[in-house]
Amino acid sequence: MDRETLVSKVDPRIFGIGDATDLPVSKSGSAAHFEAKVVAERIAATVRDEAIDGKNARYDGHVMCFLETGYEQASQLVFDYHHPPDPPKPSRVYHYEKIAFNQAYWYLVPKGLV
Ligand SMILES: Cc1cc2nc3c(=O)[nH]c(=O)nc-3n(C[C@H](O)[C@H](O)[C@H](O)COP(=O)(O)OP(=O)(O)OC[C@H]3O[C@@H](n4cnc5c(N)ncnc54)[C@H](O)[C@@H]3O)c2cc1C
């Protein structure tokens, strides 16, 4: 896939997302989530025959996930194509943020609020 447009280099009618891509990011639900906005925008624009220039027109490799480190502590991995992960010191704050995120997942993520 083109790493920004998520369009297949073999056939421009094919879009790629998630674990099925060859993008230089982690195979993760987080990556698939952020890629989905780009693919959705591109498919919608293509169907409507509109220009593809909205805020989600390109994927920058953004991934965000929590990393449990034990003892009720966690860190956070945030990175993209241009910024490698620089995880903060593990703390309970991230651990409880992760628990809160898990609880709120179905209210926030499928609605596109996050
Ligand atoms: C144990 C484990 C823990 C993980 N933890 C995390 C985590 O904490 N955070 C995170 O971000 N990511 C995590 N991941 C990774 C995350 O689950 C995947 O990256 C994500 O689910 C990929 O989404 P996807 O839609 O690309 O593929 P999938 O979720 O694998 O979806 C593909 C779907 O296609 C279906 N399918 C396959 N072949 C066919 C076919 N021929 N016809 C029709 N349907 C088909 C499959 O049944 C499946 O439902 C974890 C993965 C594992 C295995």
Side-chain angles (χ1 to χ4, degrees), residues 37-53:
K37 297 179 183 187
V38 176
V39 170
E41 183 155 319
R42 285 188 170 269
I43 290 175
T46 302
V47 169
R48 293 177 186 141
D49 200 19
E50 293 174 353
I52 302 171
D53 55 8

Side-chain angles (χ1 to χ4, degrees), residues 18-19 21 23-35 59-67 76-86 114:
D19 288 5
T21 67
L23 302 176
V25 294
S26 60
K27 298 285 185 272
S28 63
S30 173
H33 170 74
F34 291 113
E35 290 158 12
Y59 180 58
D60 64 359
H62 183 65
V63 175
M64 189 291 282
C65 50
F66 293 101
L67 179 68
Q76 195 181 38
L77 299 176
V78 182
F79 56 94
D80 59 36
Y81 292 144
H82 306 292
H83 304 91
D86 183 16
V114 175

